[in-house]
Amino acid sequence: MKNLKVFVVSDSVGETGEQVVKAAVSQFRPTFDNTVIRKFPNIENNDHIEKIVEIAIEQDAIIVFTLVEKKMRNYMIDSCNRENIQWIDLLGPLIHLFEEKIGEQPREEPGLVHKLDADYFKKIEAVEFAVKYDDGRDPRGLLLADVVLVGVSRTSKTPLSQYLAHKRYKVANVPLVPEVNPPEELFLVDPKKCFGLVISTEKLNVIRKERLMALGLNDDAIYAKPSRIEQELEHFNKVVERIGCSIIDVTNKAVEETANVIMEVIEQSK
């Protein structure tokens, strides 16, 4: 088997070029036998390019590069052609195509796609918040949340919290059980950001039975009985009436649908 050496040259971390090279190599050598892929990241000037070209000559390597600055791309191409080194420019043709299509000049700034902006950190913070204040674990989070969800067990509070977190909303949720008094913080929350999730007795009965069976338990437990569900829903109605919050029927709604309703209400109230 013939040896294959590929140099991935980038003015950023080189992740894009490396992944493309691996995808292509895997079509010939899925286990990457007799193959060397070497990254040269953070290339900043022509001297760096000259050094890489020298090594490529010695090791008979192909050069694959992702350079956003046109001058550096041209210098790399000229250097490779001068030394008869095989090369592939992954970004240049695409950047040129976009430039002609939209009539705009590229920024030529390395690493833009990898920069972690404020929006990214807001998403991470929201996801961590949803985990920390899930299922009423810490009622202090209710007053810090952008959205508060209340409902009986198995009304999609947790998946809905996570979905909204990925949309950058800090969400806390509280399960309502007749035998347990809701935290006092719940009644201090702005009703405009609180949402009660309600579901039909029949639907919840099916969901809870499936849950019990998934846990290896008997599906006729009181948890899934219609009488118990109706008792819980009655308690739910009393609590949400006291809060004065909106109520969303999630009986036949996907998590995404419910989330869209909540986001629309929240944005309109701002």
Side-chain angles (χ1 to χ4, degrees):
M1 183 181 289
K2 190 173 182 179
N3 289 332
L4 175 63
K5 291 186 178 181
V6 184
F7 289 177
V8 178
V9 181
S10 173
D11 45 22
S12 183
V13 295
E15 181 182 346
T16 301
E18 183 182 33
Q19 291 303 314
V20 172
V21 168
K22 285 182 175 179
V25 170
S26 66
Q27 294 300 310
F28 301 89
R29 300 172 180 181
T31 57
F32 295 91
D33 295 334
N34 294 84
T35 301
V36 174
I37 301 173
R38 181 177 175 186
K39 277 200 303 182
F40 293 84
N42 303 311
I43 301 305
E44 298 177 349
N45 53 55
N46 293 343
D47 288 339
H48 290 164
I49 291 175
E50 290 288 352
K51 294 290 186 183
I52 294 167
V53 168
E54 287 179 14
I55 301 171
I57 295 170
E58 295 173 1
Q59 300 188 14
D60 189 27
I62 297 170
I63 293 182
V64 176
F65 57 93
T66 55
L67 301 170
V68 297
E69 189 176 341
K70 187 175 182 179
K71 288 182 179 179
M72 288 190 68
R73 290 201 302 271
N74 289 339
Y75 191 85
M76 174 65 85
I77 292 168
D78 291 341
S79 299
C80 288
N81 288 340
R82 185 180 65 246
E83 302 297 342
N84 294 317
I85 296 173
Q86 293 176 300
W87 57 270
I88 293 291
D89 176 7
L90 291 180
L91 287 183
L94 195 55
I95 290 175
H96 179 66
L97 178 63
F98 290 168
E99 185 179 352
E100 287 192 332
K101 182 67 176 179
I102 63 178
E104 298 176 16
Q105 294 296 310
R107 292 175 179 268
E108 296 193 342
E109 183 179 340
L112 285 177
V113 73
H114 298 292
K115 284 190 174 178
L116 303 181
D117 56 18
D119 188 57
Y120 173 85
F121 285 111
K122 187 175 181 180
K123 176 181 175 180
I124 297 301
E125 185 180 1
V127 170
E128 292 177 345
F129 187 97
V131 172
K132 183 175 182 180
Y133 298 110
D134 182 45
D135 209 29
R137 289 175 188 163
D138 186 346
R140 292 175 297 181
L142 297 174
L143 300 177
L144 303 173
D146 301 316
V147 177
V148 174
L149 306 175
V150 295
V152 300
S153 174
R154 313 310 296 176
T155 50
S156 301
K157 295 186 298 300
T158 296
L160 183 55
S161 295
Q162 284 297 321
Y163 185 92
L164 288 168
H166 280 81
K167 299 295 183 180
R168 286 65 170 174
Y169 292 92
K170 293 181 179 178
V171 187
N173 71 75
V174 179
L176 297 180
V177 184
E179 293 78 14
V180 179
N181 290 327
E184 285 302 316
E185 289 87 346
L186 183 59
F187 303 104
L188 300 176
V189 171
D190 182 351
K192 291 180 181 179
K193 68 177 184 179
C194 185
F195 298 85
L197 307 180
V198 70
I199 189 170
S200 71
T201 301
E202 296 75 20
K203 180 70 173 181
L204 191 53
N205 172 250
V206 172
I207 292 173
R208 288 189 175 182
K209 280 186 174 181
E210 290 176 350
R211 177 59 175 168
L212 288 169
M213 288 189 289
L215 295 173
L217 302 174
N218 196 321
D219 67 357
D220 66 352
I222 190 171
Y223 173 72
K225 288 186 179 297
S227 58
R228 170 61 183 182
I229 292 173
E230 289 173 1
Q231 181 187 6
E232 291 185 28
L233 291 176
E234 184 179 347
H235 174 67
F236 163 85
N237 288 327
K238 291 179 181 178
V239 172
V240 295
E241 184 179 355
R242 181 180 169 189
I243 298 171
C245 64
S246 300
I247 298 175
I248 302 174
D249 189 337
V250 299
T251 301
N252 295 308
K253 280 189 172 67
V255 167
E256 295 84 353
E257 292 179 274
T258 307
N260 287 335
V261 172
I262 291 172
M263 289 188 289
E264 186 176 347
V265 171
I266 291 293
E267 294 307 313
Q268 287 179 350
S269 67
K270 287 184 178 179

